Amino acid sequence: MGPVPIKPATILAPMAGITDTVFRRLIRNQGHCGLIMTEFTSSHGVIGSDGGRRKKSFNYLSFEPEEHPISSQLFGSDPQVMADAARICQDLGFDAVDINFGCPVKKVTKCNGGSGCLRDLGLVRSILETVKSALTIPLTMKFRAGWNDRELVHVKMAQMAEDIGVAAIALHPRTREQGYSGLSDWSRIAEIKAAVKIPVIGNGDILTPEDAVRMVRQTGCDAVMIGRAASSNPWIFRQINEYLETGSYWEPAEVDRHEIMSTYYRMLDEEEMPDTIGKMKQFASYFTHGVRNGAKLRVDIYHAKSSQQIRDLVDHFFTRELVAA
Ligand SMILES: Cc1cc2nc3c(=O)[nH]c(=O)nc-3n(C[C@H](O)[C@H](O)[C@H](O)COP(=O)(O)O)c2cc1C
């Protein structure tokens, strides 16, 4: 990605409500993830032009030295505000700035942010040019294929980005109207790969190491980006590495799930993150996927009142209940 090497060529997708500093470090500590990214962050929030939200935006942008290389993701539709916010990200020490042209959420698109921009390529150009000229670190963009199937713009977007000097582009090939339904059409990734020379990052529906390899084979993409699968399988990057080296990969046992939950919950407690208990409840459902009697643990955690109680429930479940079952 410009002068920033992404090695291995695997990226944790930005996910609002998930990829905060604690989760990113959990992933980094498992090894073999080449780049991590912040949750999308309002450019207006970063520059302080929307009242009291500046502190919240800065929470999204806080990171620890061990997170390098790390990219900050911004959304918005005012080119100068985006450029000022990007400059602040550069000054905070981020290795790259990414612009979100994919978010389908109404609150964002109604102000033309996220995938709202996909219907106004003049605005996309203006944002990319203005932000690019404000930065010395690499600028990247993450985008959807278009507003809907009748208005596909992924090839035009990719060519425009290359023309402006964007360092790498990541495509989630669903359309805005598609939301998360159906499947990602990976042939759209192949189409942009054929249209530009800058690195292309493929994203969408990678659930296993086999999927990651298949995406690279089918599309020729230079790197893969993984979102939802990483939230229930934080080992996926390590598994991809093993699969490439040996043709098979390690699968987590219950003891590994216990360890990852305990580690994540301890980190949340130690960091005094906002809404620690809410995060613990949210992740209980991700981390207990496929665990015997996991539904019982989820219900118990749902009713818990303190973080210590949740941590005790997890320990009790894995060391007593599961062993006895
Ligand atoms: C809960 C959630 C939050 C997300 N937040 C963001 C975000 O902040 N920025 C962004 O560019 N994409 C966001 N996405 C989209 C993902 O980065 C990714 O493009 C999408 O989930 C497809 O990849 P996957 O199939 O590997 O999950 C989010 C997705 C989910 C499920």
Side-chain angles (χ1 to χ4, degrees), residues 48-241:
S49 61
D50 65 353
R53 296 184 66 82
R54 191 159 198 228
K55 184 163 178 295
K56 196 162 179 197
S57 299
F58 272 95
N59 282 343
Y60 293 141
L61 294 179
S62 72
F63 67 96
E64 297 293 323
E66 72 216 64
E67 294 187 51
H68 288 293
I70 178 169
S71 172
S72 55
Q73 193 191 57
L74 296 172
F75 72 90
S77 57
D78 182 320
Q80 196 52 53
V81 171
M82 291 288 280
D84 292 346
R87 196 46 190 267
I88 290 173
C89 292
Q90 174 169 298
D91 293 344
L92 286 170
F94 281 101
D95 299 288
V97 171
D98 183 78
I99 299 183
N100 177 316
F101 293 122
C103 180
V105 175
K106 263 221 179 87
K107 205 169 88 182
V108 172
T109 57
K110 80 169 193 276
C111 325
N112 266 344
S115 62
C117 298
L118 298 172
R119 283 185 138 168
D120 186 348
L121 296 197
L123 177 61
V124 171
R125 175 174 283 280
S126 171
I127 291 173
L128 289 176
E129 283 176 347
T130 316
V131 175
K132 172 82 178 75
S133 63
L135 291 177
T136 54
I137 58 174
L139 169 66
T140 63
M141 75 173 186
K142 178 168 179 289
F143 60 123
R144 286 193 179 229
W147 187 263
N148 56 38
D149 281 341
R150 297 169 307 283
E151 298 174 68
L152 295 175
V153 291
H154 52 290
V155 173
K156 274 193 196 140
M157 289 275 292
Q159 287 167 333
M160 185 193 297
E162 177 170 63
D163 190 35
I164 292 167
V166 169
I169 52 177
L171 178 65
H172 174 203
R174 287 188 174 85
T175 62
R176 174 356 168 119
E177 276 184 10
Q178 214 182 334
Y180 284 91
S181 66
L183 281 178
S184 293
D185 180 352
W186 290 354
S187 68
R188 292 171 183 165
I189 300 172
E191 284 165 11
I192 64 167
K193 178 64 194 165
V196 297
K197 293 196 177 58
I198 52 175
V200 167
I201 301 158
N203 170 236
D205 300 341
I206 294 177
L207 301 178
T208 63
E210 290 89 335
D211 290 340
V213 170
R214 207 162 44 81
M215 179 187 276
V216 173
R217 289 218 178 104
Q218 284 181 13
T219 70
C221 65
D222 301 280
V224 293
M225 175 185 275
I226 302 177
R228 290 165 296 175
S231 53
S232 52
N233 177 11
W235 305 278
I236 190 161
F237 299 103
R238 163 186 170 179
Q239 290 177 325
I240 291 173
N241 182 63

